[in-house]
Amino acid sequence: LAKTTQPISMDSYEGQEVNITCSHNNIATNDYITWYQQFPSQGPRFIIQGYKTKVTNEVASLFIPADRKSSTLSLPRVSLSDTAVYYCLARASGGSYIPTFGRGTSLIVHP
Amino acid sequence: NAGVTQTPKFQVLKTGQSMTLQCAQDMNHNSMYWYRQDPGMGLRLIYYSASEGTTDKGEVPNGYNVSRLNKREFSLRLESAAPSQTSVYFCASSESQGDTEAFFGQGTRLTVV
């Protein structure tokens, strides 16, 4: 399972776009990149997953370059309610997989 | 739609006491997990159950036992609580062990004094 590395913390202001980059240099061919969001006093929730190029949903966009050694979670026009910890996970498709969480990136959005 | 329900939400124990954390999911998921989260740390896996009738140790199983009572319920037991077990405990489930998305409960905040 690929080890992921992401910044411990980030600060932003309301209305700005926030990009959180995750490094996964030893990602395997069949690994997907998955992101979770955890609000204070809540459990994590799945927000987006991708394998390559770009994936977009109502919450965020995920950019994965061709070499797949990193990925970027993009949150457009953040609000105070986007203050949360964001976790990047690499998972192998099929077979045994257990969600493994690192420390994540603590995003604080300021007024 | 309740999803994953954990009880209790808060608990204070004295050192040496025992208790069971309950977890139930109503999504007909096969796999269930118990994690603990300490301040400034990510989630660490305690035990998991890939399917009904099976349980396996995770990263930090010492001091804990689990029971997969049926497909819906997965309980975590502390036989003799220690202050080092003060933490927030999360239960999660997924459709299968290879599934992308895990659904988490709201957590149980446990303090051992």
Side-chain angles (χ1 to χ4, degrees):
Chain A
L1 193 64
K3 175 178 166 57
T4 59
T5 303
Q6 51 184 126
I8 296 295
S9 64
M10 294 182 70
D11 288 88
S12 184
Y13 292 89
E14 284 190 291
Q16 291 188 332
E17 179 184 67
V18 171
N19 295 308
I20 305 174
T21 297
C22 177
S23 298
H24 27 81
N25 290 322
N26 62 337
I27 190 169
T29 303
N30 59 350
D31 283 354
Y32 280 74
I33 300 301
T34 305
W35 285 81
Y36 282 76
Q37 176 189 55
Q38 184 179 23
F39 296 118
S41 301
Q42 294 188 25
R45 70 161 186 151
F46 169 90
I47 52 173
I48 199 165
Q49 171 190 259
Y51 183 77
K52 61 181 179 181
T53 64
K54 176 182 175 182
V55 178
T56 297
N57 63 21
E58 65 278 5
V59 177
S61 294
L62 178 60
F63 300 91
I64 304 174
D67 67 6
R68 300 192 346 109
K69 293 185 183 300
S70 67
S71 57
T72 299
L73 178 74
S74 181
L75 305 172
R77 298 181 60 79
V78 294
S79 65
L80 297 177
S81 63
D82 291 312
T83 292
V85 178
Y86 293 83
Y87 298 95
C88 168
L89 288 71
R91 79 159 187 101
S93 62
S96 298
Y97 166 69
I98 300 167
T100 302
F101 294 79
R103 291 182 61 182
T105 297
S106 175
L107 172 66
I108 298 176
V109 180
H110 302 276
Chain B
N1 53 346
V4 178
T5 303
Q6 292 182 234
T7 55
K9 287 185 171 51
F10 301 93
Q11 183 71 47
V12 178
L13 288 179
K14 293 183 179 179
T15 297
Q17 286 185 318
S18 62
M19 80 160 295
T20 300
L21 280 63
Q22 306 287 354
C23 175
Q25 51 90 9
D26 62 2
M27 295 172 283
N28 201 36
H29 284 170
N30 290 298
S31 301
M32 298 185 74
Y33 315 85
W34 275 106
Y35 294 86
R36 61 177 287 175
Q37 185 172 38
D38 300 304
M41 305 278 289
L43 285 80
R44 292 184 291 170
L45 183 69
I46 306 171
Y47 271 94
Y48 66 99
S49 171
S51 61
E52 186 179 358
T54 69
T55 60
D56 284 287
K57 295 179 180 180
E59 180 186 356
V60 289
N62 291 344
Y64 305 95
N65 285 300
V66 291
S67 296
R68 184 73 183 267
L69 304 170
N70 46 56
K71 192 172 185 179
R72 291 186 63 247
E73 299 172 286
F74 188 38
S75 63
L76 179 72
R77 183 162 177 82
L78 287 70
E79 291 290 352
S80 179
S84 61
Q85 294 178 304
T86 293
S87 189
V88 180
Y89 292 85
F90 289 101
C91 176
S93 71
S94 63
E95 189 169 328
S96 67
Q97 196 178 347
D99 195 49
T100 299
E101 184 173 358
F103 294 80
F104 283 79
Q106 293 284 56
T108 295
R109 187 174 295 274
L110 175 67
T111 301
V112 183
V113 298

